Amino acid sequence: MAADEDADVFEITDFTTASEWERFIARFEETLHEWKLVSQRPLPPVAKGQLTFGQWEEETTQLSFADFKFTVTHHYLKPVTSPDGGRDSEGRDEDVDEDHDQIPNAFLDMMSMDNDFPSRAHCLSRWYGLRDFVVISPVNDAIDSESRSKLLVSSVNIALSNTGCPVPVFVQILQSWRKMYSGVCVATGLTTQFDMVHLKRIPPQYNHLAGLLDVFKGKLGMSTVSLPPVSVSVRFTYVLQDWVNSPWPQGPPDLSSVGGDEVGFTEIGTLPFGACEDPVSELHLSCTWPSLSEEMIVDNQAYSDLDPLQAPQWTVRIQMTEDPFCLLGDYLRDFLQLCHCKETTDQLLGKALMEDDDKDTSADISQALQRLTEPAVPYSIPSLTSVMSHASTRLKVKPDESPIPADLLNSVLLYLFPDASPDAASLATEDTPREDSNNSHPGELSDRFIRDLTKQLKAAPHLSLTQKLAICSCRVSQGAGGLCAVAHLWQEFILEMRYRLENNFMIPNLERSAPNMGSCILHQKLQMLNCCIERKIRREEQQAKFSGADPGDAGGTETGKDNLEGAVGQESSSEEEMEFFECDESVTEKQNESATEGATEEEKEVEKKASNLGESCDSNDATFFKDSISYRPDGRLRPYGDLKLLDSGETLYIPITQEPAPMTEDMLDEHAEALAKLGTSSEGAQLRARMQSACLLSDMESFKAANPGCVLEDFVRWYSPRDYVEADVENEDGTKTKTGHLSSRMQIPGNMWVEVWQSARAVPARRQRRLFDDTKEAEKVLHFLSALKPAEVVLHLMPMLIQSAILRIVENEDPHVPKLKLLIEQITSKAAKATRSPLPEIRRYEDLLKAIRLAETVIARAKSLKSKFFMELMEHSGEEEAEIQHFVSCLLSQPEVIVRGGPQGPAGTLVHRLFLAAQKSAHMVTNEDAIEEDDLSLTLNPHRPASTIPDFPRPSGKEYILRTTVPRPAPYSRPSPQRMYCVLIDGDFRLAGAFTADTTFQ
């Protein structure tokens, strides 16, 4: 049936619309029906301020008239439903009397005085007060001829008459920038024509209300009949451009600092903040007389009653500087642009590097040979001050071609590595980033906010070395040569990292822990390098200890946790290479004596056999024999509670084990990828199990060494207690004893734990192969850092810069700006997505920087307005100060703010003083001159105003709205609304008239 119904549907062509003109009218009528604009019922009056703050919506379609294409747009104010209902689904009032159906909503809007001069609305809504209208605008060619304009308007008139649509329709004519419209509104027996006049110059006879009244009355065409008084709404706008006594509060550059010639340069470890120019350019004061009769006021060429100080309503709007130059946003934008560069470090610094002479080369070779021949274990470590004084600026760069000046570079390196300072040797032992006087703001940023921000962003901890490096790179990039400066600083940083690795100096301002996966990859790499340095220091200390220290600590007795961490991995990293340590006979005898104390007779017998064997064979073979058959415990940490070994009943000891190997995010990915590539075959599964059981094997060997005679069950009781099941068993005599067994998963055939236990030897952790090869991993980190191009370095540093920028914004946040808090939340959300993206995207950072610049601009505007409106608050009370604070906050969030109390209110008084000061400055009159002139004027003529200097300049804009209700075109016609809007601005004179005529009684 559905198929049959579809087959019966066919296109119906209306052959009665033969011409293009008729087709256009028919299609336009269909559009009006589709939008449900036909036979609209009246709506209640628009509430005061709704044209400005209400929600405007649009719907658009396309029409064609011959070869011309038009865009038809329906603009309407979304109706506000009352809490108790009172409107239908389309927003119409259900309780309206049917007698008023013939009065269109447009007529009510034109005569309403509640929404005169809206600050933010469509131009047609501002000129005519409409809340619902349709605009027909050409797509390409402008309608620049009168015949085409009349043809379109007449076509619209026909369509409105045919459909009974009461919504006004406008046709845009001439060029679009002129905003010229011709429109029509058709009601039952009434038609309103919307016409405009637009001139570039203001005719002198129409520069005041008297001349405009003549035009309005002349247009009505009823000079022989006495007209009712015309209702007039007037608005004068005064512009303040000179902010006297309130300059822009951007501090001058600090010439005593390293970057003293830079504007906004504070400390080297702080990003600059603020606008270099005043973000507030003008203040517009609008004085409004909302409803006056033409008989009440005089405004002509010679005199005007419209005094701004007598206006009942004042409104103020702020004209902001378009795209002001802001330091933070500019620094970050220029730094991010470096990501698009393709140059390598050699290309940037190749010409600036100095070639070593023969003397330097021979010195380097001798030093390299000395490092090769010197003992592996340093017995004396030089002091930190004597070594670190040479740890900066080791890159040999020609002084005249150095991207970064020497004094600036030294300051940056000392800021990044404070332990290099001769008077700061105590700082070398710090474990975590500390609060720094150059970058700390106590009381402004809470620790909780900093922690939350660090968790949300994938960057680095606050005040860490990575964050400081990012800030310094941005600073030197802006002030010392761009990408070349970044490459120079990066190479110095890499040399410092290698120097610290070779000389066993910890990297400052980094957490001494495994790499934090919540941080960026660059911070993880630096943490990994710090772990390598720490392991290297401990390993070499243990080598020195076992070689020349008290040998009693090397026996099988319990050692502390410190010995645990340092005794790990004393053999070589390769399986084929074994490392042995020589010691003199006295040390060997002491070790043997200490080891045999407390041993059983059986153990002493084995030891004796091993000693006898050593007399007839090589000492190394004897040592291996003793290690393989000895029952002497080794590598014990402490007893594990009251647990006993199941077979021997001896105390179960926790062994000294190797620390797990730290890994960075990319290392984990490589490890997972390597395991996945092994496949699902039996060989691949065995190899995968072997790779995964390396740490388990080390722990089992350490456990066997610490607990001779142990079994797998003992190891499981300590390592994985859940896999050892205990139960109470009742004996024949009624007593209960505890028995235990391995869990079911441990008893599965081919269990990896069983296989690893069988292959594990009793080897203490200090003699095992290292799980973590700090030498190899450190070289990998340095290779990763060295392989980065300068542009890649910039991209890796961006997360820390974004984090620092957010902190700078929060430091300068104004709590009285409501939208600023929401903006900061949006910036933080975008920053979290950008920094946690698997692949860094420059586009994300560009969008983020736009939001950061907006926040910086908002803060700069708030600071500027406060400096302008709070200059004389010392004379005011607390209530007036709160009023002005509220006024400033509204200026930042609203397009136009009503001055409460008008010129007599606190804000109005302050605005008046600003204009008065600007007028005195414009007339070059000082305060002393003004006082003398006031005294002289009062003496000569007490009735004369105190000063001849006007308080306000000439109005930069005048707006008039003239209204009346008169019968047109004949005296016996129905009274209908008439309205004309007039705006007089330098270079713009516009009259927008809406004149209604009775089409029934003409």
Side-chain angles (χ1 to χ4, degrees), residues 976-994:
S976 54
Q978 317 294 330
R979 172 185 171 123
M980 186 174 74
Y981 170 85
C982 317
V983 57
L984 290 73
I985 305 176
D986 292 340
D988 191 3
F989 174 78
R990 185 185 300 272
L991 302 179

mmCIF file of all heavy atoms in Angstrom, residues 976-994:
data_model
loop_
_atom_site.group_PDB
_atom_site.id
_atom_site.type_symbol
_atom_site.label_atom_id
_atom_site.label_comp_id
_atom_site.label_asym_id
_atom_site.label_seq_id
_atom_site.Cartn_x
_atom_site.Cartn_y
_atom_site.Cartn_z
ATOM 1 N N SER A 976 -3.870 56.691 13.271
ATOM 2 C CA SER A 976 -2.871 55.632 13.130
ATOM 3 C C SER A 976 -1.523 56.121 13.669
ATOM 4 O O SER A 976 -1.262 57.325 13.717
ATOM 5 C CB SER A 976 -2.744 55.213 11.656
ATOM 6 O OG SER A 976 -2.476 56.345 10.843
ATOM 7 N N PRO A 977 -0.646 55.200 14.075
ATOM 8 C CA PRO A 977 0.644 55.587 14.670
ATOM 9 C C PRO A 977 1.613 56.113 13.614
ATOM 10 O O PRO A 977 1.703 55.564 12.509
ATOM 11 C CB PRO A 977 1.146 54.292 15.307
ATOM 12 C CG PRO A 977 0.493 53.209 14.521
ATOM 13 C CD PRO A 977 -0.847 53.736 14.102
ATOM 14 N N GLN A 978 2.337 57.176 13.984
ATOM 15 C CA GLN A 978 3.352 57.771 13.128
ATOM 16 C C GLN A 978 4.636 57.897 13.955
ATOM 17 O O GLN A 978 4.595 58.299 15.117
ATOM 18 C CB GLN A 978 2.912 59.158 12.625
ATOM 19 C CG GLN A 978 1.465 59.244 12.177
ATOM 20 C CD GLN A 978 1.161 58.410 10.950
ATOM 21 O OE1 GLN A 978 2.039 58.209 10.098
ATOM 22 N NE2 GLN A 978 -0.076 57.913 10.829
ATOM 23 N N ARG A 979 5.747 57.587 13.329
ATOM 24 C CA ARG A 979 7.016 57.586 14.062
ATOM 25 C C ARG A 979 8.145 57.961 13.118
ATOM 26 O O ARG A 979 8.152 57.572 11.940
ATOM 27 C CB ARG A 979 7.277 56.209 14.686
ATOM 28 C CG ARG A 979 8.656 56.035 15.316
ATOM 29 C CD ARG A 979 8.852 54.615 15.777
ATOM 30 N NE ARG A 979 10.239 54.368 16.189
ATOM 31 C CZ ARG A 979 10.604 53.932 17.380
ATOM 32 N NH1 ARG A 979 9.674 53.711 18.305
ATOM 33 N NH2 ARG A 979 11.867 53.709 17.671
ATOM 34 N N MET A 980 9.129 58.717 13.654
ATOM 35 C CA MET A 980 10.336 59.036 12.890
ATOM 36 C C MET A 980 11.537 59.030 13.846
ATOM 37 O O MET A 980 11.517 59.700 14.886
ATOM 38 C CB MET A 980 10.223 60.390 12.206
ATOM 39 C CG MET A 980 11.408 60.686 11.269
ATOM 40 S SD MET A 980 11.238 62.204 10.314
ATOM 41 C CE MET A 980 11.528 63.433 11.588
ATOM 42 N N TYR A 981 12.530 58.271 13.452
ATOM 43 C CA TYR A 981 13.776 58.205 14.224
ATOM 44 C C TYR A 981 14.828 59.041 13.515
ATOM 45 O O TYR A 981 14.976 58.966 12.283
ATOM 46 C CB TYR A 981 14.246 56.753 14.339
ATOM 47 C CG TYR A 981 15.632 56.591 14.917
ATOM 48 C CD1 TYR A 981 15.836 56.545 16.291
ATOM 49 C CD2 TYR A 981 16.747 56.471 14.090
ATOM 50 C CE1 TYR A 981 17.098 56.396 16.830
ATOM 51 C CE2 TYR A 981 18.014 56.319 14.615
ATOM 52 C CZ TYR A 981 18.196 56.285 15.988
ATOM 53 O OH TYR A 981 19.452 56.146 16.505
ATOM 54 N N CYS A 982 15.584 59.846 14.265
ATOM 55 C CA CYS A 982 16.591 60.741 13.704
ATOM 56 C C CYS A 982 17.897 60.543 14.463
ATOM 57 O O CYS A 982 17.902 60.513 15.705
ATOM 58 C CB CYS A 982 16.166 62.206 13.810
ATOM 59 S SG CYS A 982 14.440 62.529 13.388
ATOM 60 N N VAL A 983 18.978 60.401 13.737
ATOM 61 C CA VAL A 983 20.299 60.315 14.343
ATOM 62 C C VAL A 983 21.219 61.292 13.631
ATOM 63 O O VAL A 983 21.261 61.360 12.391
ATOM 64 C CB VAL A 983 20.856 58.881 14.282
ATOM 65 C CG1 VAL A 983 20.928 58.362 12.858
ATOM 66 C CG2 VAL A 983 22.224 58.807 14.935
ATOM 67 N N LEU A 984 21.926 62.114 14.429
ATOM 68 C CA LEU A 984 22.806 63.138 13.908
ATOM 69 C C LEU A 984 24.197 62.900 14.477
ATOM 70 O O LEU A 984 24.463 63.144 15.661
ATOM 71 C CB LEU A 984 22.325 64.540 14.287
ATOM 72 C CG LEU A 984 21.047 65.080 13.618
ATOM 73 C CD1 LEU A 984 19.797 64.399 14.156
ATOM 74 C CD2 LEU A 984 20.935 66.582 13.826
ATOM 75 N N ILE A 985 25.071 62.380 13.646
ATOM 76 C CA ILE A 985 26.452 62.118 14.009
ATOM 77 C C ILE A 985 27.332 62.711 12.933
ATOM 78 O O ILE A 985 26.924 62.815 11.768
ATOM 79 C CB ILE A 985 26.715 60.597 14.146
ATOM 80 C CG1 ILE A 985 25.731 59.962 15.128
ATOM 81 C CG2 ILE A 985 28.142 60.305 14.596
ATOM 82 C CD1 ILE A 985 25.855 58.461 15.237
ATOM 83 N N ASP A 986 28.532 63.133 13.316
ATOM 84 C CA ASP A 986 29.458 63.671 12.328
ATOM 85 C C ASP A 986 29.707 62.640 11.240
ATOM 86 O O ASP A 986 30.191 61.540 11.498
ATOM 87 C CB ASP A 986 30.780 64.051 13.000
ATOM 88 C CG ASP A 986 30.622 65.234 13.944
ATOM 89 O OD1 ASP A 986 29.631 65.965 13.791
ATOM 90 O OD2 ASP A 986 31.479 65.399 14.836
ATOM 91 N N GLY A 987 29.327 63.009 10.021
ATOM 92 C CA GLY A 987 29.478 62.105 8.885
ATOM 93 C C GLY A 987 28.326 61.166 8.680
ATOM 94 O O GLY A 987 28.411 60.291 7.812
ATOM 95 N N ASP A 988 27.253 61.332 9.437
ATOM 96 C CA ASP A 988 26.115 60.413 9.295
ATOM 97 C C ASP A 988 24.852 61.125 9.762
ATOM 98 O O ASP A 988 24.732 61.525 10.914
ATOM 99 C CB ASP A 988 26.330 59.153 10.121
ATOM 100 C CG ASP A 988 25.303 58.066 9.785
ATOM 101 O OD1 ASP A 988 24.486 58.288 8.891
ATOM 102 O OD2 ASP A 988 25.342 57.005 10.434
ATOM 103 N N PHE A 989 23.940 61.322 8.799
ATOM 104 C CA PHE A 989 22.639 61.910 9.098
ATOM 105 C C PHE A 989 21.584 60.968 8.542
ATOM 106 O O PHE A 989 21.540 60.681 7.347
ATOM 107 C CB PHE A 989 22.514 63.297 8.452
ATOM 108 C CG PHE A 989 21.155 63.917 8.593
ATOM 109 C CD1 PHE A 989 20.751 64.500 9.774
ATOM 110 C CD2 PHE A 989 20.257 63.900 7.522
ATOM 111 C CE1 PHE A 989 19.493 65.069 9.902
ATOM 112 C CE2 PHE A 989 18.999 64.463 7.641
ATOM 113 C CZ PHE A 989 18.611 65.050 8.832
ATOM 114 N N ARG A 990 20.701 60.469 9.441
ATOM 115 C CA ARG A 990 19.736 59.464 9.023
ATOM 116 C C ARG A 990 18.372 59.785 9.613
ATOM 117 O O ARG A 990 18.251 60.116 10.798
ATOM 118 C CB ARG A 990 20.171 58.071 9.482
ATOM 119 C CG ARG A 990 19.263 56.947 8.986
ATOM 120 C CD ARG A 990 19.687 55.613 9.578
ATOM 121 N NE ARG A 990 21.043 55.280 9.208
ATOM 122 C CZ ARG A 990 21.373 54.622 8.098
ATOM 123 N NH1 ARG A 990 20.432 54.243 7.244
ATOM 124 N NH2 ARG A 990 22.631 54.340 7.843
ATOM 125 N N LEU A 991 17.379 59.666 8.737
ATOM 126 C CA LEU A 991 15.976 59.756 9.142
ATOM 127 C C LEU A 991 15.311 58.441 8.757
ATOM 128 O O LEU A 991 15.379 58.027 7.592
ATOM 129 C CB LEU A 991 15.264 60.925 8.465
ATOM 130 C CG LEU A 991 15.848 62.331 8.691
ATOM 131 C CD1 LEU A 991 15.026 63.369 7.931
ATOM 132 C CD2 LEU A 991 15.883 62.656 10.169
ATOM 133 N N ALA A 992 14.666 57.802 9.721
ATOM 134 C CA ALA A 992 13.965 56.546 9.481
ATOM 135 C C ALA A 992 12.517 56.746 9.902
ATOM 136 O O ALA A 992 12.220 56.790 11.100
ATOM 137 C CB ALA A 992 14.621 55.399 10.249
ATOM 138 N N GLY A 993 11.638 56.886 8.904
ATOM 139 C CA GLY A 993 10.243 57.183 9.195
ATOM 140 C C GLY A 993 9.336 55.991 8.972
ATOM 141 O O GLY A 993 9.544 55.189 8.049
ATOM 142 N N ALA A 994 8.331 55.873 9.828
ATOM 143 C CA ALA A 994 7.284 54.857 9.697
ATOM 144 C C ALA A 994 5.949 55.600 9.727
ATOM 145 O O ALA A 994 5.477 56.011 10.781
ATOM 146 C CB ALA A 994 7.380 53.841 10.826
#
